[in-house]
Amino acid sequence: MPDPAAPAPVRKFHLSLNVSDLGRSVAFYRVLFGLEPAKHHADYAKFEVESPPAVFSLVPGRAGGGGSLNHVGLCLLSSEELVAIQLRLEQAGHKTLREDGVACCYSRQTKFWVRDPDGVLLELYVFHEDIDDHGDDHAPDADLSALMGGDAEKDAPAVTWTHQLSEPVALPLPQDANSVQEVVLEGTVNASPTSFDLPALLKEVLRILKPGGTISLHGLAGDRPLTGSCPSLPGPAAAVQHVPDFPGLIPLLHTAGFRNARLTKLSEKGYFEAEGVPLREVLITATKPGFRSSKKDQTLVYLGPQAAIEDDFGNRFVKGAPQTVNVHDWQALKNTNSSAFALLKTEVATPNLPAQPQPMPAPQAKSKARYIMIGGFLGAGKTTTVGRLARHLSDQGLKVGLITNDQAGGLVDTKLLRGQGFATEEIAGGCFCCRFNTLVDAAHKLNDATKPDVFIAEPVGSCTDLVATVTYPLRRMYGDDFTVAPLSVLVDPVRARRVFGLDQGGSFSSKVAYIFKKQLEEADIIVISKSDLIDETQREELREVLSKEFPLAKIVAASPRQETGLDELFGSLMSGEQARRNPMAVDYEVYADGEALLGWLNATVTLKSDDEFDANDFLKRLATNVQGRLQLAGAEIAHFKMTFSPDDGIGGELASINLVRSDYIAELGMELDEPTTGGQLIVNLRAETDPAALVEAVKTGLGEVSTSFFGLQATLDHEEHFRPGKPVPTYRDGELVMETKGGCKPGSGCC
């Protein structure tokens, strides 16, 4: 008789893979599934996977590469399971490629890709919701195969058009629309403005580029515009007829219709000087917007003169007849012959395509600069949001000055923001509340140098009570100089769901959580940042909790990394006023205890190698190594970020990595295009643990990871590790607390 206690049989999907080396493949799938093979012989191995129910068998002695197999997919039940498997594979040395909240196969998914030892492509994903967009851009195509190191046949050579400074330009360009993958303008920005129209050329470049294609501007630029004629320069630079200011080049690209323009190279010292202005080598890259979605949401009418025409994408337009196309095709038509069409209806743009920029409201009074403070706990995404806002305002023609803040010097955020070309001042040695006078001095210093229309300040991630100690005193004492925007506070949704008991997972102790909640309590706007990391149901659950806990705050969901949901936030920050209400009650003893539970480490490291090494790979390995050590010690990481600047690169080149929770995957934000022989590494690490444990984890990690790279030496040049001292604000709600230089009590640890 059957055993009634035995589990009911389950139908299982079976997949048999040809493998070239059975032992190597068994080792890989052992890590992937986190279990031992059910059978393992010299000529066969099998894994019995319970969730999802599947049988994976491995047969050796055959050709590898998967044959006609496209890829293998595993649908998982939760994001936590997805992260755990990816982390397990990364720690075992396997390269993965993560995609958050992407459109794929008519659904929204978060996933990562990995290849097994024979090159079989595996897709592990979590399903979020059904959508109308197929999402072909995220299918496992040749580009993905190349990124994942596969052996797929190489694509046809990329079509590139290059223009040199000495060459003439005839507009329109002879290339067909959407026919070129890359355009390189080598010195073109240094041609005489009378020889051709640069904005017109950029619009032509946008026309000929394929969706997602790139443009590069390389040349000589100044820190600010020259007032006189271009100077005569020696040597090869004698061909330079015009020197633009580099801060004005990125807005020029955005005006032409490009997106994601960024300064990738900027020499620290000028090669030449004119009118006291250093002339630096500059390289700026940008991309043509998005892929062509299958979703048609733009209704056009062709007005003539011909009876009918067909565009480059196969859309046929009969004169006078409505025709529906997608956003991308309409953008292409607008850049060529928009006067021949009438747009009847515009629906919501597809998520992957940026909306057309709308003019931002100007500061409320021309004589006053606007002060915007973007707060939030460590790892909430403040620096990314500050960079996005600064770029957005710059595109509207406004001058922007940035102020960063940390308990110690050597801040990764400052390096990243300066690398994007923004004027940035750093306030170290304490939070804004304790360094109020220094904050005002930094604003005046920026004002003297660049006269910003808008100041954006990013406070320390463990700081709260900012309204009573910073913005109220600022408005009262310097109301003639500044208008104060609503205080926005960013919140990591995964972290927030754990703090408010919606999800299980690593979190902070009660006193650290006290600071986390107090930051939200004083916010005028609470931003559910990184909203792409959770699904719609989870977002609504979190929104309900935040609305109930903090009824005075406006709740906004956004993803600064994917640049979605930001228009509402940016509009509020530029048009609204900070709410006038009584300052919240703060128990400074609990606040101080909470900060004192956090370990703080800032360090600079010199990397030097006998041979070239991959700095991107080094950052990923070091982050994973340190993360594993802190996990074993039971430390909860609040924020771990690093930047690397190569000695053999040009100023402004950076690689960066970021980790915001102990059970998450460290992600590269910026990458170097080429190997390097050395440079400077900046490490910022904050976690709820003994600061000495942070130093030990980083030192040991540096030693171990360096041995993986031939001839690489890592030298710790400087480090500061400590617990923040009790905050002693200079002012609170207009009451003078103390008059110490710098605003802090000496020896308190705040300064």
Side-chain angles (χ1 to χ4, degrees):
M1 293 183 62
D3 182 0
V10 177
R11 291 188 178 92
K12 292 189 174 183
F13 178 73
H14 175 72
L15 182 66
S16 179
L17 299 180
N18 301 325
V19 300
S20 59
D21 186 324
L22 184 62
R24 192 171 56 151
S25 294
V26 166
F28 172 83
Y29 284 100
R30 181 187 287 119
V31 174
L32 176 66
F33 297 132
L35 52 81
E36 293 295 322
K39 293 183 180 180
H40 188 183
H41 302 284
D43 58 353
Y44 177 79
K46 180 180 73 170
F47 287 86
E48 295 274 3
V49 183
E50 296 299 327
S51 179
V55 176
F56 269 70
S57 60
L58 310 176
V59 182
R62 312 280 179 86
S68 60
L69 183 67
N70 184 294
H71 73 286
V72 177
L74 289 177
C75 182
L76 305 177
L77 298 178
S78 68
S79 298
E80 287 76 17
E81 184 182 17
L82 183 76
V83 168
I85 295 174
Q86 186 180 10
L87 181 60
R88 198 163 63 218
L89 288 165
E90 290 276 356
Q91 290 175 334
H94 298 288
K95 180 180 181 181
T96 67
L97 179 66
R98 187 177 180 87
E99 295 180 318
D100 291 304
V102 296
C104 181
C105 306
Y106 297 99
S107 66
R108 182 80 58 200
Q109 305 170 0
T110 291
K111 65 180 69 178
F112 74 85
W113 301 88
V114 65
R115 283 193 180 277
D116 81 351
D118 283 297
V120 174
L121 191 61
L122 295 106
E123 173 194 27
L124 286 87
Y125 65 96
V126 175
F127 170 84
H128 295 315
E129 59 182 344
D130 291 315
I131 59 175
D132 295 331
D133 189 358
H134 183 278
D136 293 330
D137 193 50
H138 292 94
D141 54 15
D143 289 339
L144 180 58
S145 297
L147 286 171
M148 293 306 303
D151 296 323
E153 293 183 6
K154 293 183 178 179
D155 292 336
V159 178
T160 301
W161 181 69
T162 301
H163 174 260
Q164 302 282 347
L165 171 59
S166 58
E167 299 173 347
V169 178
L171 300 180
L173 297 174
Q175 289 82 359
D176 293 333
N178 303 286
S179 63
V180 177
Q181 281 102 337
E182 180 184 24
V183 169
V184 179
L185 301 183
E186 192 67 46
T188 307
V189 296
N190 298 128
S192 172
T194 60
S195 62
F196 68 91
D197 186 346
L198 181 58
L201 173 61
L202 294 180
K203 285 189 175 295
E204 269 294 281
V205 169
L206 188 76
R207 179 186 67 82
I208 69 174
L209 276 174
K210 291 185 175 182
T214 61
I215 180 175
S216 299
L217 302 181
H218 185 211
L220 204 61
D223 294 2
R224 60 179 185 271
L226 300 181
T227 58
S229 59
C230 180
S232 297
L233 302 177
V240 172
Q241 301 168 325
H242 170 69
V243 179
D245 61 305
F246 72 81
L249 290 174
I250 290 180
L252 193 64
L253 285 165
H254 281 204
T255 300
F258 293 96
R259 304 299 295 173
N260 302 320
R262 65 189 184 99
L263 198 65
T264 58
K265 290 185 180 180
L266 178 67
S267 58
E268 292 189 4
K269 295 183 179 180
Y271 290 101
F272 311 99
E273 185 174 299
E275 302 177 11
V277 178
L279 308 185
R280 310 173 190 269
E281 181 185 14
V282 62
L283 175 63
I284 298 176
T285 60
T287 57
K288 181 173 178 175
F291 67 89
R292 293 184 64 237
S293 168
S294 59
K295 184 176 181 179
K296 296 183 177 181
D297 50 17
Q298 309 293 308
T299 303
L300 314 177
V301 174
Y302 173 57
L303 305 177
Q306 299 176 358
I309 62 169
E310 185 171 308
D311 68 9
D312 297 308
F313 311 106
N315 298 307
R316 178 174 172 78
F317 300 93
V318 178
K319 183 177 180 179
Q323 170 71 20
T324 305
V325 300
N326 62 46
V327 174
H328 169 271
D329 294 2
W330 168 232
Q331 296 285 352
L333 288 169
K334 279 207 322 182
N335 288 325
T336 53
N337 54 357
S338 60
S339 60
F341 293 88
L343 179 65
L344 295 187
K345 181 178 65 174
T346 304
E347 297 179 1
V348 178
T350 49
N352 58 294
L353 287 173
Q356 288 299 297
Q358 299 296 321
M360 293 294 295
Q364 291 187 352
K366 291 184 177 181
S367 60
K368 296 183 180 181
R370 190 161 185 82
Y371 177 84
I372 297 175
M373 188 155 56
I374 297 179
F377 203 76
L378 298 158
K382 296 188 295 297
T383 304
T384 303
T385 305
V386 167
R388 294 282 187 265
L389 175 57
R391 177 62 55 222
H392 194 68
L393 296 176
S394 296
D395 290 347
Q396 310 306 317
L398 297 175
K399 293 182 179 179
V400 181
L402 309 182
I403 304 175
T404 58
N405 185 208
D406 194 48
Q407 299 283 5
L411 194 57
V412 166
D413 298 346
T414 306
K415 189 84 171 177
L416 291 173
L417 294 170
R418 284 177 178 164
Q420 295 176 44
F422 298 116
T424 306
E425 287 293 317
E426 177 181 304
I427 296 178
C431 52
F432 284 152
C433 66
C434 302
R435 302 297 304 268
F436 181 85
N437 296 332
T438 310
L439 169 65
V440 175
D441 290 343
H444 286 152
K445 185 175 180 181
L446 284 169
N447 191 56
D448 291 341
T450 58
K451 293 181 171 52
D453 300 299
V454 183
F455 294 89
I456 307 174
E458 178 189 345
V460 177
S462 61
C463 187
T464 189
D465 202 23
L466 294 168
V467 171
T469 64
V470 180
T471 59
Y472 280 6
L474 185 71
R475 187 166 56 192
R476 187 185 72 254
M477 293 184 287
Y478 299 96
D480 292 338
D481 299 325
F482 304 104
T483 61
V484 179
L487 174 63
S488 60
V489 175
L490 275 59
V491 60
D492 181 319
V494 177
R495 177 76 73 192
R497 287 181 61 84
R498 294 176 182 180
V499 169
F500 290 104
L502 296 174
D503 290 328
Q504 299 297 313
S507 191
F508 298 118
S509 59
S510 61
K511 290 185 177 180
V512 177
Y514 175 83
I515 300 174
F516 185 95
K517 293 180 179 180
K518 280 295 177 182
Q519 289 180 342
L520 298 172
E521 183 179 337
E522 67 175 341
D524 297 306
I525 305 171
I526 295 176
V527 184
I528 302 175
S529 181
K530 309 177 186 177
S531 61
D532 53 295
L533 296 183
I534 56 176
D535 60 35
E536 184 59 33
T537 300
Q538 293 172 316
R539 280 196 294 273
E540 286 307 310
E541 287 177 346
L542 180 57
R543 186 188 292 271
E544 288 180 10
V545 170
L546 294 174
S547 297
K548 182 179 179 180
E549 291 278 341
F550 314 107
L552 298 179
K554 177 181 179 180
I555 312 296
V556 176
S559 174
R561 179 173 55 181
Q562 295 191 344
E563 298 190 68
T564 59
L566 295 176
D567 288 344
E568 181 181 3
L569 172 62
F570 292 171
S572 297
L573 293 178
M574 285 301 293
S575 61
E577 282 285 348
Q578 184 182 50
R580 293 179 179 272
R581 60 189 190 216
N582 292 330
M584 65 181 181
V586 179
D587 186 331
Y588 265 73
E589 295 303 321
V590 177
Y591 177 10
D593 290 346
E595 280 209 291
L597 289 172
L598 295 170
W600 222 266
L601 170 66
N602 283 8
T604 56
V605 180
T606 297
L607 300 180
K608 190 65 67 177
S609 177
D610 297 332
D611 198 0
E612 290 186 332
F613 69 98
D614 185 344
N616 305 317
D617 187 32
F618 178 88
L619 287 179
K620 199 72 178 284
R621 293 195 189 193
L622 179 58
T624 302
N625 186 293
V626 173
Q627 177 185 16
R629 294 181 182 283
L630 294 178
Q631 282 179 318
L632 290 175
E636 177 62 23
I637 294 174
H639 206 179
F640 181 19
K641 48 191 173 181
M642 297 184 285
T643 60
F644 174 78
S645 308
D647 291 335
D648 47 2
I650 294 178
E653 258 190 321
L654 288 175
S656 66
I657 197 164
N658 192 48
L659 177 66
V660 296
R661 293 184 299 278
S662 291
D663 58 353
Y664 199 56
I665 299 292
E667 296 178 319
L668 286 167
M670 300 174 67
E671 300 183 47
L672 296 179
D673 296 331
E674 298 177 352
T676 182
T677 57
Q680 185 188 59
L681 175 71
I682 297 178
V683 180
N684 293 170
L685 176 56
R686 293 85 171 92
E688 187 172 355
T689 190
D690 184 350
L694 304 182
V695 180
E696 182 61 28
V698 170
K699 283 184 176 179
T700 306
L702 284 168
E704 286 193 359
V705 174
S706 298
T707 60
S708 303
F709 297 83
F710 177 76
L712 178 62
Q713 296 292 324
T715 304
L716 183 63
D717 299 320
H718 174 75
E719 62 89 5
E720 296 177 77
H721 65 283
F722 55 90
R723 297 184 188 275
K726 182 179 180 179
V728 182
T730 311
Y731 301 95
R732 188 170 195 274
D733 194 31
E735 179 185 356
L736 181 62
V737 177
M738 57 191 309
E739 296 184 2
T740 306
K741 184 178 181 181
C744 291
K745 182 179 179 180
S748 69
C750 189
C751 294

